Amino acid sequence: MALPYLCPCPSSSPRFCLLNTNQTPNSPKLRRVNCSSSSITTDQTQQISFSDAELKLIDALIGIQGRGRSASPQQLSDVESAVKVLEGLEGLKNPTDSGLVEGRWRLTFTTRPGTASPIQRTFVGVDVFTVFQDIYLRTNDPRVSNIVKFSDIVGELKVEAVASIKDGKRILFRFDRAAFSFKFLPFKVPYPVPFRLLGDEAKGWLDTTYLSPSGNLRISRGNKGTTFVLQKVILPRQKLLAAIAEGNGVTEAINEFLSLNSDSENNDYELLEGDWEMIWSSQVETDSWIENAANGLMGKQIVKKDGRMKFEVNIVPAFRFSMSGKFMKSGSSRYDLKMDDGAIIGGPFGYPVEMEKTINLHIMYTDEKMRISRGYENILFVHLRTA
């Protein structure tokens, strides 16, 4: 019987960490990211540290949903390549002997081999759930706990294991208890697995193959052949994408992200070429899909170098709605879009749709992978670059 081995990630860990002061001369060069915590009412700032190689892995994870379940072959290749680079670098030596491995870790990515447990297959790939791992080895009851948080309102599932350190990288564990904690019940509901009767099936190990000198990032490999990427410090862009995936607190996450990138108010952002998928808007879609498509409330935008743009929405398999037009810069980070050529396309055939729409687009932030903007009727949008 497969065991419920879930990956770790921290939600209750501090939002931001001070730069590590215990770096060795051979530690990877760190890039400092200035961030101000929303829990601090003064102008005090803290600094997060990630090396260039660590940021390359974090960037490779952008746009992957289900913590790896929806990853394309190219995305998987990019993640695996970044993981191997980090594992080949000198991270923190003997991570299990360091206090930095302790605490709550948040799962951001996991491979999904056929040996993955039913719980891992059921919960880990669902973005609306948050998955954590608590590691506490320096107590009189050393434990590793895997936690699935359904929501602040519903509650969580916690699967616990007795743990011990084998060597500088490996933690041995044996599952011994698990329970659901529902907010609407005054008692815990036991998870129905008889761990005591499972014998060796209830045992396993977890290797930490990379732990960042700052203690912010961890790569682990388990006895089931699974690779995990876990973080204590979640960068603002990751927090925003997680809020969108979970469908909770998105506007607040956008405001926090923009405030942490306060220079964005003074930047003159360009409308970057490429395919941009709309992943969130501040307006609920109407009953008319064609109106949603025309207003950019669904589908993707294709931005071309020649000043042309296309909105494209898949209606049903083999049919899509396409609306194209021109864009022209009208001010700092502002564009006028005139969309006047619409059609419903099926295979090689197209049915013209007479429609004209003028949209004023204000780009509030953009980088090579993500864009935040205001468009039709001052609606707030988040797009991810997919190509």
Side-chain angles (χ1 to χ4, degrees), residues 112-131:
R112 308 192 58 77
T115 55
S117 74
I119 285 188
Q120 187 167 321
R121 290 196 300 269
T122 302
F123 296 121
V124 171
V126 181
D127 281 322
V128 294
F129 303 150
T130 312
V131 184

Side-chain angles (χ1 to χ4, degrees), residues 308-336:
R308 296 195 64 82
M309 175 183 282
K310 179 188 290 186
F311 291 175
E312 196 168 87
V313 177
N314 292 325
I315 309 169
V316 294
F319 286 89
R320 69 184 188 275
F321 171 77
S322 174
M323 188 174 185
S324 61
K326 297 181 179 180
F327 65 88
M328 181 177 295
K329 194 163 187 179
S330 59
S332 178
S333 300
R334 295 179 184 272
Y335 288 81
D336 290 335

Side-chain angles (χ1 to χ4, degrees), residues 56 65 78 80 162 181 186 198 201 238 268 283 312 314 316 358 377:
K56 187 172 182 179
Q65 298 180 349
D78 291 343
E80 290 172 359
V162 177
S181 297
L198 294 178
E201 285 295 312
Q238 291 176 285
D268 185 8
Q283 174 158 323
E312 196 168 87
N314 292 325
V316 294
T358 300
E377 292 190 348

Side-chain angles (χ1 to χ4, degrees), residues 15 34 37 67 133 155 166 180 186 188 230-231 247 267 280 293 333 341 348 356 382:
R15 284 177 181 246
N34 291 326
S37 173
R67 283 171 281 267
Q133 185 175 70
K166 180 180 180 180
F180 292 92
K188 294 182 179 181
L230 310 127
Q231 287 180 250
N267 286 341
W280 184 85
S333 300
D341 185 9
E356 184 171 313
V382 179

Side-chain angles (χ1 to χ4, degrees), residues 103-214:
R104 173 157 287 194
W105 293 85
R106 179 170 183 157
L107 174 66
T108 55
F109 177 84
T110 176
T111 55
R112 308 192 58 77
T115 55
S117 74
I119 285 188
Q120 187 167 321
R121 290 196 300 269
T122 302
F123 296 121
V124 171
V126 181
D127 281 322
V128 294
F129 303 150
T130 312
V131 184
F132 304 97
Q133 185 175 70
D134 287 347
I135 297 180
Y136 293 103
L137 304 175
R138 289 157 181 79
T139 69
N140 55 6
D141 183 23
R143 286 191 169 270
V144 173
S145 300
N146 300 310
I147 300 142
V148 179
K149 185 176 181 180
F150 304 117
S151 73
D152 291 332
I153 299 174
V154 177
E156 66 183 29
L157 166 63
K158 186 175 185 179
V159 183
E160 298 185 56
V162 177
S164 62
I165 297 172
K166 180 180 180 180
D167 54 38
K169 288 189 175 182
R170 180 164 294 184
I171 298 172
L172 304 176
F173 62 85
R174 175 176 53 83
F175 289 109
D176 63 347
R177 64 192 184 204
F180 292 92
S181 297
F182 295 116
K183 298 292 187 180
F184 49 83
L185 292 177
F187 53 86
K188 294 182 179 181
V189 179
Y191 173 66
V193 172
F195 292 116
R196 291 183 180 180
L197 301 180
L198 294 178
D200 289 342
E201 285 295 312
K203 299 178 181 179
W205 50 261
L206 183 69
D207 283 348
T208 296
T209 56
Y210 180 81
L211 178 62
S212 64
S214 63

Side-chain angles (χ1 to χ4, degrees), residues 9 46 60 62 102 104 118 139 144 197 204 285 289 295 329 378 382-383:
C9 313
Q46 294 177 318
I62 293 173
E102 306 252 333
R104 173 157 287 194
T139 69
V144 173
L197 301 180
E285 295 176 2
W289 69 264
N295 294 332
K329 194 163 187 179
N378 212 33
V382 179
H383 285 81

